[in-house]
Amino acid sequence: MEERRQQLIGVALDLFSRRSPDEVSIDEIAAAAGISRPLVYHYFPGKLSLYEAALKRASDDLAQRFVEPHEGPLGSRLLRVMGRYFDFVDEHGPGFSALMRGGPAVGSSTTNALIDGVRQAAYLQILSHLGVEGPPPARLELVVRSWISLAESTALIWLDGRRVPRRELEVQLVHDFGALAAVSAAHDEEMGALLRRVFADEPADGPFTDLVTRLVALAS
Amino acid sequence: MEERRQQLIGVALDLFSRRSPDEVSIDEIAAAAGISRPLVYHYFPGKLSLYEAALKRASDDLAQRFVEPHEGPLGSRLLRVMGRYFDFVDEHGPGFSALMRGGPAVGSSTTNALIDGVRQAAYLQILSHLGVEGPPPARLELVVRSWISLAESTALIWLDGRRVPRRELEVQLVHDFGALAAVSAAHDEEMGALLRRVFADEPADGPFTDLVTRLVALAS
């Protein structure tokens, strides 16, 4: 029984990666899984419960991709995570768009809790890589959480036409993180001290040094 | 009849500015307006339709606050708009939070269209102030739209505890816009040319020059 449930979730995710979930019917999912429509309803009482189960698996998958060893320069760690993040967005295209733009199940408390859970996983990973333990300063929380929403919207806009190479956006989001942190640091001494500590370990060929080099070239 | 409708919308918005819309009942709205519950239903067939009418008025109000004369330095124009944006967020606190975090009516196509309309109004205003006519380059669209989502999430995080002075965040969002545009310009010549043209007119005491001064001080 659990095996059949997992198979159905996999089939649904595969269909949602090619077309928006609200365009995919239970009949199609049944046909793709090679089972009858009533049998699908035996495992999932309605489309929402199948959708939520698929979202749960995709959320767990995405949160797992945020996990990165605490080794090497921070900018390079974040760049590797951005690569895996865009892999995920690329693989789940229409399903990801529909969900984040307000899909059929948005407003369901299960759906909202899963999305919040992924955001929280990203947030906690970043704090741990920054070496922050316990409740962070308000301005650091603001930079990290608002950058996460920037990464979401960047991925959504990219999916709508893919007019900018994703590799460029992966690097750019790492640079955006540095830039937003620098703006915050330019307004607050505590953030300044944190930024100096973090950037002190960045190598000359790392993404954050690359950003500074590029900005200096731009300004001249 | 139209007058009574408008009065009910005003009463609802006032209640939603103090408590989340899903905690406000039709009975309360009726009581606050001094009319009977059946009469409320006479004007609005259900809570969703009243909610949507209230959201429509709030959306029009917010879009209006984005309008700014095409005069003076761009950074100062954006800073004035940020002041009015935070006024709005401050006035509508719980209603704004509930809506953007996935409130009761999220997923309704009317609600989504109203939210998208406000985002689009902000987007078009910014392009017009940047002097861009016709379809913008993909990278400019990305910077402007992703910054708009950054402004939304910054406002939402601010509402949750108000732990950073809003005036600081208004300036910081203007600085964030400059920083995200600079990162994009550091990756793309067309964005570089646009940024140089825009920043060429910025005065020594404007917000964008202030950002550069602060970042130089931070780096040294």
Side-chain angles (χ1 to χ4, degrees):
Chain A
M1 161 137 187
E2 187 52 28
E3 205 175 312
R4 182 48 64 87
R5 265 182 65 92
Q6 294 304 324
Q7 182 215 354
L8 279 169
I9 293 172
V11 165
L13 277 174
D14 183 51
L15 289 167
F16 299 163
S17 74
R18 284 177 279 134
R19 270 159 46 236
S20 177
D22 52 351
E23 294 168 8
V24 176
S25 67
I26 287 284
D27 282 332
E28 264 179 284
I29 294 167
I35 65 175
S36 69
R37 181 189 161 93
L39 197 53
V40 176
Y41 282 111
H42 173 72
Y43 292 105
F44 297 98
K47 193 173 155 189
L48 181 62
S49 73
L50 175 52
Y51 182 81
E52 287 176 349
L55 185 59
K56 172 77 170 74
R57 188 195 284 178
S59 304
D60 290 346
D61 172 13
L62 180 53
Q64 205 51 45
R65 300 191 199 204
F66 297 151
V67 180
E68 170 71 28
H70 286 229
E71 288 163 21
L74 282 169
S76 310
R77 296 183 211 171
L78 189 56
L79 185 56
R80 284 191 293 272
V81 174
M82 285 299 95
R84 295 196 295 270
Y85 177 61
F86 271 84
D87 285 345
F88 177 91
V89 170
D90 200 4
E91 289 161 23
H92 291 276
F96 181 81
S97 276
L99 177 68
M100 304 309 287
R101 289 192 193 278
V106 172
S108 124
S109 57
T110 306
T111 306
N112 283 348
L114 288 169
I115 296 175
D116 283 348
V118 172
R119 288 177 181 150
Q120 186 67 9
Y123 174 66
L124 294 176
Q125 280 293 330
I126 292 171
L127 290 184
S128 89
H129 282 273
L130 291 175
V132 175
E133 285 168 19
R139 288 169 183 81
L140 179 61
E141 175 171 356
L142 195 77
V143 165
V144 176
R145 289 198 192 274
S146 65
W147 176 83
I148 290 169
S149 83
L150 185 81
E152 277 178 22
S153 58
T154 298
L156 275 172
I157 297 163
W158 173 72
L159 275 178
D160 184 14
R162 305 190 186 210
R163 292 185 295 148
V164 179
R166 58 169 267 196
R167 180 67 191 160
E168 183 180 325
L169 296 181
E170 292 164 18
V171 177
Q172 201 166 305
L173 279 168
V174 174
H175 286 171
D176 288 343
F177 185 86
L180 296 177
V183 168
S184 182
H187 287 261
D188 179 71
E189 186 36 50
E190 189 177 19
M191 284 295 292
L194 181 91
L195 198 70
R196 270 188 289 270
R197 175 173 66 71
V198 163
F199 274 38
D201 294 333
E202 287 299 297
D205 61 350
F208 286 136
T209 313
D210 174 43
L211 169 63
V212 174
T213 311
R214 282 170 183 263
L215 289 179
V216 169
L218 182 73
S220 66
Chain B
M1 161 142 187
E2 188 51 30
E3 204 175 316
R4 183 48 66 86
R5 263 182 66 91
Q6 294 304 326
Q7 181 214 356
L8 279 169
I9 293 171
V11 165
L13 276 174
D14 183 52
L15 289 167
F16 299 163
S17 76
R18 283 178 277 134
R19 270 159 45 235
S20 178
D22 53 350
E23 293 168 10
V24 176
S25 67
I26 287 284
D27 281 333
E28 264 179 284
I29 294 167
I35 66 175
S36 71
R37 180 189 162 94
L39 197 53
V40 176
Y41 282 110
H42 173 72
Y43 292 104
F44 297 98
K47 190 173 158 188
L48 181 61
S49 72
L50 175 53
Y51 182 79
E52 287 175 350
L55 185 59
K56 173 77 171 72
R57 186 194 286 181
S59 305
D60 291 345
D61 172 14
L62 179 53
Q64 206 48 47
R65 300 192 198 204
F66 297 152
V67 179
E68 170 71 27
H70 286 230
E71 287 164 19
L74 282 169
S76 308
R77 297 182 209 171
L78 189 55
L79 185 57
R80 284 190 293 270
V81 174
M82 287 299 95
R84 295 195 296 268
Y85 177 62
F86 271 83
D87 285 344
F88 177 91
V89 170
D90 199 4
E91 289 160 23
H92 291 276
F96 181 81
S97 275
L99 177 67
M100 304 310 288
R101 289 193 192 279
V106 172
S108 125
S109 56
T110 305
T111 307
N112 283 348
L114 288 169
I115 296 176
D116 284 347
V118 172
R119 287 178 182 148
Q120 188 66 11
Y123 174 66
L124 294 176
Q125 280 293 330
I126 292 172
L127 290 185
S128 88
H129 282 274
L130 291 174
V132 176
E133 284 167 19
R139 288 171 182 81
L140 179 61
E141 174 171 358
L142 196 78
V143 165
V144 176
R145 289 199 192 275
S146 66
W147 176 83
I148 290 168
S149 84
L150 185 82
E152 277 177 22
S153 60
T154 298
L156 274 172
I157 297 164
W158 173 72
L159 275 178
D160 185 14
R162 307 191 184 208
R163 290 184 297 149
V164 178
R166 57 169 269 195
R167 180 69 191 159
E168 182 179 326
L169 296 182
E170 292 164 17
V171 177
Q172 201 167 304
L173 279 167
V174 175
H175 286 172
D176 288 343
F177 185 85
L180 295 178
V183 168
S184 182
H187 285 262
D188 179 72
E189 188 35 51
E190 190 178 16
M191 284 295 293
L194 181 90
L195 199 70
R196 269 187 292 268
R197 174 172 66 72
V198 164
F199 275 38
D201 295 331
E202 286 301 297
D205 61 349
F208 286 135
T209 312
D210 174 43
L211 168 64
V212 174
T213 311
R214 282 168 183 265
L215 290 177
V216 168
L218 182 74
S220 65

